[in-house]
Amino acid sequence: MPENPVPKQRLRAPSQRSLENRARILDAAETLFAREGFAGATIRDIARAADVPVGLVHHHGGGKEALFREVVGRRAEELSTLRLAALDAARARGPLTLAALFDCFFRPYLDKAAGGDPQWLAYARLVAIVSADPAWADISRDLFDPTAHRFITEIGALYPDAPPARVAEAFIYSVAAMLALLTSQWRVAALAGDPGAGPSLDGLIAFCAAGCAARLGA
Amino acid sequence: MPENPVPKQRLRAPSQRSLENRARILDAAETLFAREGFAGATIRDIARAADVPVGLVHHHGGGKEALFREVVGRRAEELSTLRLAALDAARARGPLTLAALFDCFFRPYLDKAAGGDPQWLAYARLVAIVSADPAWADISRDLFDPTAHRFITEIGALYPDAPPARVAEAFIYSVAAMLALLTSQWRVAALAGDPGAGPSLDGLIAFCAAGCAARLGA
DNA sequence: GTCTATATGTAGATAGAC
DNA sequence: GTCTATCTACATATAGAC
């Protein structure tokens, strides 16, 4: 008789249901944080939306703030990978233009958002929340800034005479425009009367590339 | 003996202290709504910051939501007046350019914000909150859209072939850039390493005018 | 791993004294 | 007009049963 009988299930292996609950909790948290803001969303709302008991949200999320960080981080890492891959691929094809750089930065996100996954649209609101609030500066620093800095360096290389702060400023304007495209469609529709049209990646790139060129050019 | 002795103080005339308390409450609410968001700011925080009893905030503000609307409306009306006056003055001087239009729209705000009044900087955060959240669509409609629509019409007149939704979209990008200038200086500093430089009205106008021209031009 | 029950604090709002 | 005291509801978080 073995002294250490092998358990039928490996210790600490998460069950199928546990994984599903965890995923549903993160999705619900993403939706509600996006719609109501960090303070406006409640753990109870999230639990109800995910159809799990309240305590389980704490179990999987580790508190409201940790849950928020995890929700943001999940997509930020995926997006950074896609953006940097697009940038590397574009570099390999030849010299970069401003429009090509913005294409590498915007397209992965807009493809996801336009792909119909409403969670990716919710994420745009989260990025806007984090980007606007110095209280989340650590999230910006850890998750957004490395990739942003890479793109700023590339833009700066196209305009060697522009001071770094000016390049960063133009980049922030461009990101703000991208977030506006994703989060303020309802305002565009209200202002135009015309509800149609819809977002356009090429239009956004044209706006930002021309704006940056005007701000950074000689 | 007169039957109706004249009261020493007119009925319902607000006392000096009442007016001061009211102003302090609105200022404190503005600061805290801007920093913490609508849900994150509490009536109690506001009362403490204004150094008044909690009940007084309800008395003057009429509930949290009404207080928020009043705080936003107070500055929105002042700003709209200044912007439209600048637009009328510019029109009177001759034909408008895109850069001149953005100057009329941006300058009144940036002058106030750069003038050192921290309350005007807080207001930028409030505008960002309202503009990003469909839940406050009625504030946007009543307080922001009339002036915005006026400027969009003027921009559209410069590009008669551009569809209205495209003009509105370019305008929203531009407003987003302006709000980023006011609310995301900390991110620019973090990304550039260089904390210096600071915001530049001319730079913002150059960015937006060139972006709009590229997006709307033939 | 899952969930119930509950602890503890604080929210927005108001009734009524001054 | 001003302010105290308090109501009711709900927040996050956790302890411990299953």
Side-chain angles (χ1 to χ4, degrees):
Chain A
M1 276 181 334
E3 282 185 83
N4 296 320
V6 177
K8 290 201 176 71
Q9 200 172 350
R10 276 184 306 172
L11 290 174
R12 301 191 304 151
S15 72
Q16 179 68 19
R17 186 164 59 126
S18 173
L19 289 172
E20 285 171 4
N21 279 338
R22 181 187 170 78
R24 279 214 314 285
I25 287 167
L26 288 177
D27 285 349
E30 187 165 57
T31 303
L32 284 163
F33 280 140
R35 191 195 310 152
E36 312 290 340
F38 177 75
T42 70
I43 297 277
R44 287 178 139 77
D45 292 340
I46 293 167
R48 194 177 323 115
D51 197 29
V52 298
V54 186
L56 211 55
V57 178
H58 282 94
H59 178 71
H60 284 293
K64 194 180 183 183
E65 204 170 302
L67 179 61
F68 183 77
R69 281 173 211 277
E70 188 165 354
V71 163
V72 176
R74 196 172 52 146
R75 292 193 197 269
E77 306 206 350
E78 179 179 353
L79 205 49
S80 285
T81 303
L82 291 171
R83 280 169 168 160
L84 293 175
L87 181 58
D88 289 338
R91 281 204 80 147
R93 282 196 299 271
L96 292 166
T97 65
L98 211 41
L101 279 170
F102 278 121
D103 193 275
C104 294
F105 192 83
F106 292 150
R107 188 182 292 276
Y109 197 160
L110 296 195
D111 275 355
K112 293 279 188 189
D117 186 347
Q119 298 297 126
W120 274 105
L121 262 182
Y123 176 67
R125 298 284 314 273
L126 295 184
V127 175
I129 290 171
V130 171
S131 296
D133 191 346
W136 297 114
D138 58 327
I139 296 185
S140 286
R141 177 170 33 76
D142 297 341
L143 297 175
F144 301 160
D145 284 4
T147 300
H149 199 267
R150 176 78 196 281
F151 277 86
I152 287 172
T153 302
E154 297 284 355
I155 296 173
L158 296 178
Y159 297 92
D161 294 337
R166 189 176 292 194
V167 180
E169 178 194 330
F171 183 75
I172 289 291
Y173 291 165
S174 303
V175 173
M178 181 198 70
L179 293 173
L181 170 69
L182 288 164
T183 64
S184 296
Q185 280 302 117
W186 61 280
R187 284 214 73 202
V188 173
L191 284 168
D194 176 9
S200 153
L201 171 61
D202 291 337
L204 176 67
I205 291 174
F207 183 94
C208 295
C212 285
R215 180 75 179 112
L216 303 175
Chain B
M1 274 184 332
E3 282 186 83
N4 296 320
V6 177
K8 291 201 174 72
Q9 199 171 350
R10 276 184 305 171
L11 290 174
R12 299 191 305 153
S15 72
Q16 179 68 20
R17 186 163 58 126
S18 174
L19 289 172
E20 285 171 4
N21 280 337
R22 180 186 170 77
R24 278 213 316 283
I25 287 167
L26 288 177
D27 286 348
E30 186 165 58
T31 302
L32 284 163
F33 281 139
R35 191 195 308 152
E36 312 290 340
F38 177 75
T42 70
I43 298 276
R44 290 179 143 78
D45 291 341
I46 293 167
R48 195 177 322 117
D51 197 29
V52 297
V54 186
L56 210 54
V57 178
H58 282 95
H59 177 72
H60 284 294
K64 193 180 182 182
E65 205 170 301
L67 180 61
F68 183 77
R69 282 172 211 278
E70 188 165 355
V71 163
V72 176
R74 194 172 53 145
R75 294 196 195 267
E77 306 206 350
E78 179 178 353
L79 204 50
S80 285
T81 303
L82 290 171
R83 281 168 167 160
L84 293 175
L87 180 59
D88 288 337
R91 282 204 79 146
R93 283 197 299 271
L96 293 167
T97 64
L98 210 42
L101 279 170
F102 279 121
D103 193 276
C104 294
F105 192 84
F106 292 149
R107 187 180 293 276
Y109 198 161
L110 297 194
D111 276 355
K112 293 279 189 188
D117 186 345
Q119 298 296 124
W120 274 104
L121 261 183
Y123 176 66
R125 298 283 315 272
L126 294 184
V127 175
I129 289 171
V130 170
S131 296
D133 192 344
W136 298 113
D138 59 326
I139 296 185
S140 286
R141 176 171 33 80
D142 297 341
L143 297 175
F144 301 160
D145 283 4
T147 300
H149 199 267
R150 176 78 196 281
F151 278 86
I152 287 172
T153 302
E154 297 285 355
I155 295 173
L158 297 177
Y159 297 93
D161 294 335
R166 188 175 294 193
V167 180
E169 179 194 330
F171 183 75
I172 290 291
Y173 292 164
S174 303
V175 174
M178 181 198 70
L179 292 174
L181 169 70
L182 288 164
T183 64
S184 295
Q185 279 302 117
W186 59 281
R187 285 214 72 202
V188 174
L191 285 168
D194 175 10
S200 153
L201 171 61
D202 290 337
L204 176 67
I205 291 174
F207 183 94
C208 296
C212 284
R215 179 75 178 113
L216 303 175

